């Protein structure tokens, strides 16, 4: 561990602090940048009633994210801190896993300060402020999910020491990024990667192509995911409490079993899977054929 408390991994970019945070410098956003947020916000929020879960919609309201333009972290952090002790901190972009986990373990969510270009509205490589703040932050107002994200950060720190990061990244992907929550009205979105994407907000709930399976932590950790396209499987939790409870287990025994287990092919359904939708995989097949 070097002086700044992190191992001698990649150093922060110029202008960033040792923990990779930067000032948001909210006053330096241009009207055009605020307009991109407004365009994305109006498009997504029109879509999400009846699609996003209630804790997400309550979080949007609680943090007043429907203000006209890019939120000022100093403003939203007052309410976010009061609700669950979380803060949003600005970072230049993706940060090393070790830095990311340390922030989560301390209830700090690292959010990119940059926003996508108007010509990038539908897809961008790296999470921007709309993905991070519109997608991830509203759920952090929910006390149970707030506890889950901190537990995930602590789990990440342990996983790094054991070299089990790949399995833990799958848990993040299939819950925090692409998770669905079962409700009496049907499945609802809580994953940031879905809720911040117009097309996937529709695909994840309505399209017959993907499998939708009951969440099982070990099953998720054995399942690869797509980083370049819609998911071929979505995992559905019965409640946020069930997701938090799943992290309160003996991960050493779990990691031991995972080392001995094979990955499960991404579109496969196992005999003891809880099947909510047996997908056609028509979308993924068509995309694979088009790519040939
Ligand atoms: N850094 N800023 C930022 N945001 C992320 O979502 C993020 C990251 N670094 C690593 C990472 N995510 C993934 O590897 C997680 O699975 C840990
Ligand atoms: Fe994300």
């Amino acid at each position: 561990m070097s002086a700044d408390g992190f191992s001698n991994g990649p150093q922060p970019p110029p202008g960033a602090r040792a923990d990779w945070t930067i000032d948001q410098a909210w006053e330096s956003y241009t009207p055009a940048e605020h307009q991109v947020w407004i365009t994305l916000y109006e498009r997504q929020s029109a879509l999400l009633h009846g699609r996003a879960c209630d804790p997400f919609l309550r979080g949007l309201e609680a943090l007043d994210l429907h203000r006209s333009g890019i939120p000022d972290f100093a403003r939203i952090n007052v309410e976010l801190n009061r609700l669950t002790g979380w803060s949003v901190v600005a970072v230049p972009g993706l940060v090393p896993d070790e830095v990311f986990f340390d922030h989560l373990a301390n209830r700090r969510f690292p959010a990119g300060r940059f926003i996508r270009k108007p010509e990038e509205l539908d897809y961008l490589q790296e999470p921007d402020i709309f993905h991070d703040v519109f997608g991830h932050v509203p759920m952090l107002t929910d006390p149970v999910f707030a506890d889950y994200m901190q537990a995930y950060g602590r789990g990440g720190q342990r996983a790094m020491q054991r070299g089990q990061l790949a399995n833990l990244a799958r848990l993040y992907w299939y819950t925090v990024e692409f998770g669905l929550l079962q409700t009496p009205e049907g499945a609802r979105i809580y994953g940031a990667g879905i809720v911040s994407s117009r097309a996937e907000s529709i695909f994840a709930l309505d399209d017959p192509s993907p499998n939708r399976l009951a969440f099982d932590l070990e099953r998720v950790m054995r399942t690869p995911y797509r980083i370049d396209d819609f998911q071929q499987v979505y995992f559905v939790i019965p409640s946020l409490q069930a997701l938090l409870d799943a992290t309160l287990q003996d991960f050493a025994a779990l990691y031991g079993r995972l080392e001995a287990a094979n990955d499960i092919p991404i579109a496969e359904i196992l005999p003891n899977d809880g099947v909510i939708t047996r997908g056609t995989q028509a979308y993924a097949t068509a995309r694979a054929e088009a790519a040939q």
Side-chain angles (χ1 to χ4, degrees):
M1 299 288 255
S2 56
D4 64 19
F6 294 115
S7 67
N8 298 321
Q11 290 310 304
R17 290 179 276 270
D19 62 1
W20 288 65
T21 57
I22 56 174
D23 294 333
Q24 185 191 11
W26 179 79
E27 59 291 336
S28 65
Y29 287 114
T30 65
E33 288 174 311
H34 284 295
Q35 186 53 52
V36 171
W37 173 281
I38 293 165
T39 304
L40 288 167
Y41 183 88
E42 285 173 349
R43 191 172 75 167
Q44 271 316 91
S45 53
L47 193 65
L48 289 177
H49 287 278
R51 289 184 183 280
C53 67
D54 286 345
F56 177 88
L57 296 171
R58 283 198 296 271
L60 274 190
E61 286 306 312
L63 299 178
D64 204 10
L65 284 187
H66 50 72
R67 289 267 182 104
S68 53
I70 294 173
D72 181 350
F73 293 175
R75 176 181 68 77
I76 61 176
N77 280 342
V78 173
E79 182 63 7
L80 184 59
N81 268 283
R82 188 184 69 77
L83 287 169
T84 59
W86 275 83
S87 298
V88 188
V89 291
V91 290
L94 287 177
V95 303
D97 288 341
E98 178 189 22
V99 173
F100 186 66
F101 292 131
D102 181 68
H103 280 303
L104 297 188
N106 290 285
R107 295 202 174 219
R108 294 187 299 266
F109 188 81
R113 78 165 297 279
F114 76 97
I115 193 157
R116 66 195 74 180
K117 299 277 177 288
E119 59 275 14
E120 288 176 315
L121 282 191
D122 276 314
Y123 188 74
L124 76 162
Q125 281 301 323
E126 193 161 324
D128 72 337
I129 193 167
F130 187 77
H131 169 92
D132 281 332
V133 176
F134 181 90
H136 282 283
V137 172
M139 286 301 295
L140 293 175
T141 63
D142 178 277
V144 175
F145 191 79
D147 287 355
Y148 172 71
M149 283 292 274
Q150 180 174 36
Y152 181 85
R154 289 178 173 152
Q157 292 175 314
R158 282 198 305 270
M160 287 194 76
Q161 281 143 21
R162 291 180 52 98
Q164 287 280 357
L165 212 45
N167 289 319
L168 203 91
R170 289 170 173 172
L171 177 62
Y172 189 84
W173 202 263
Y174 280 121
T175 58
V176 180
E177 293 294 356
F178 293 95
L180 297 178
L181 170 65
Q182 196 58 272
T183 77
E185 298 76 38
R188 291 291 181 268
I189 303 162
Y190 73 94
I194 308 176
V195 87
S196 58
S197 153
R198 174 168 61 173
E200 197 150 7
S201 294
I202 294 165
F203 179 86
L205 294 183
D206 300 352
D207 200 289
S209 179
N211 297 333
R212 294 176 186 87
L213 304 178
F215 173 83
D216 171 276
L217 189 131
E218 194 159 337
R219 172 46 160 111
V220 164
M221 285 184 151
R222 293 178 55 199
T223 309
Y225 52 83
R226 299 295 298 263
I227 59 165
D228 56 348
D229 208 339
F230 296 159
Q231 297 309 312
Q232 294 182 250
V233 54
Y234 295 96
F235 289 94
V236 188
I237 56 175
S239 67
L240 293 175
Q241 188 61 50
L243 181 62
L244 177 60
D245 293 347
T247 65
L248 308 176
Q249 66 176 287
D250 173 5
F251 273 79
L254 169 65
Y255 285 141
R257 290 196 301 276
L258 287 169
E259 272 155 8
N262 298 323
D263 282 356
I264 298 165
I266 193 167
E268 189 164 322
I269 293 181
L270 301 181
N272 56 355
D273 276 337
V275 180
I276 294 156
T277 313
R278 187 175 297 273
T280 64
Q281 297 300 337
Y283 172 84
T285 308
R287 293 281 288 189
E289 283 162 1
Q292 278 162 358

